[in-house]
Amino acid sequence: SWNNGEPERCYDTLGDVERGPNGEIVAIVGVVQDVTEKVAAEKKLTESEAAYRFMADEASDIIARHSAEGRLMFISPAVKRILGFDPDDMIGRTAFEGAHPDDLAQVRATIADAMRKGDMVSYSYRVRHRDGSYVWFETHLRFVKSAQSGSLDGAISVSRDITARKRFEDELKSARERAEQASHTKS
């Protein structure tokens, strides 16, 4: 708010009373510190954190932060809707733990190649749902380097459920094969 055309200031105060030998107050000692800028910076940081938290919490895709060792440090709440796991249950796991065994070698090779090149990478693979079924994922992963040292600081990934798309592609492929077979039989 404004006070006589000037922005309102915030102060932090600390005081104490000194008493003499007879218990009477002989002095009041106090410190007043202007913390207006600190309060404004904290408010701005809180608002920024709330905006990022809102995006991560409400995103339909799974957003994840991986450590340099490949362990999940953060995973958005979308993991509950898509894979049936609570986000807290996923922290500390690697992204490979739920990958379909038939897809694991390809995923590892793709990520290792991207890490060597420092590229962003996109790949599709199956991930086990909490109920034991598999969900097709399309993941975009980007490696992050430390601003101070330049060394690998981890990775950020965004994963999307593409199961319906894969099912449609499989049905389309089967229909094409049946049509080719019918055409071949007819010939």
Side-chain angles (χ1 to χ4, degrees), residues 2 59 61 102 127 149-150:
W2 296 86
D61 294 343
D102 294 346
V127 179
S149 67

Side-chain angles (χ1 to χ4, degrees), residues 103-180:
D103 301 336
L104 192 55
Q106 175 257 330
V107 170
R108 284 183 188 272
T110 301
I111 291 174
D113 188 48
M115 189 183 295
R116 273 192 303 279
K117 294 177 183 175
D119 292 340
M120 184 172 114
V121 65
S122 297
Y123 51 96
S124 298
Y125 66 112
R126 291 164 287 184
V127 179
R128 190 166 12 110
H129 189 279
R130 186 178 191 135
D131 67 11
S133 65
Y134 281 90
V135 176
W136 273 100
F137 265 21
E138 177 180 72
T139 296
H140 303 278
L141 182 127
R142 182 176 61 85
F143 294 98
V144 180
K145 292 189 177 183
S146 168
Q148 290 82 18
S149 67
S151 63
L152 180 66
D153 194 30
I156 304 292
S157 68
V158 178
S159 299
R160 169 173 292 166
D161 179 351
I162 61 165
T163 306
R165 185 177 88 194
K166 282 291 197 180
R167 193 174 302 126
F168 177 74
E169 288 172 359
D170 289 346
E171 289 170 5
L172 192 60
K173 182 180 175 184
S174 293
R176 188 178 308 121
E177 288 171 355
R178 285 191 306 272
E180 287 173 3

Side-chain angles (χ1 to χ4, degrees), residues 3-56:
N3 185 13
N4 294 332
E6 294 292 320
E8 197 171 282
R9 307 296 297 179
C10 296
Y11 298 96
D12 192 9
T13 60
L14 177 66
D16 197 10
V17 175
E18 284 188 31
R19 297 189 182 272
N22 62 358
E24 290 185 19
I25 297 174
V26 294
I28 298 176
V29 179
V31 177
V32 177
Q33 183 178 11
D34 185 343
V35 293
T36 304
E37 290 178 13
K38 179 181 176 186
V39 168
E42 287 173 353
K43 181 180 178 188
K44 189 174 181 178
L45 179 62
T46 299
E47 289 169 353
S48 176
E49 287 175 348
Y52 284 114
R53 174 63 58 191
F54 175 78
M55 287 187 294

Side-chain angles (χ1 to χ4, degrees), residues 58-62 76-85 129 161:
E58 299 303 323
S60 57
D61 294 343
I62 297 173
S76 65
V79 73
K80 178 73 172 175
R81 183 179 46 76
I82 296 172
L83 292 177
F85 292 101
H129 189 279
D161 179 351

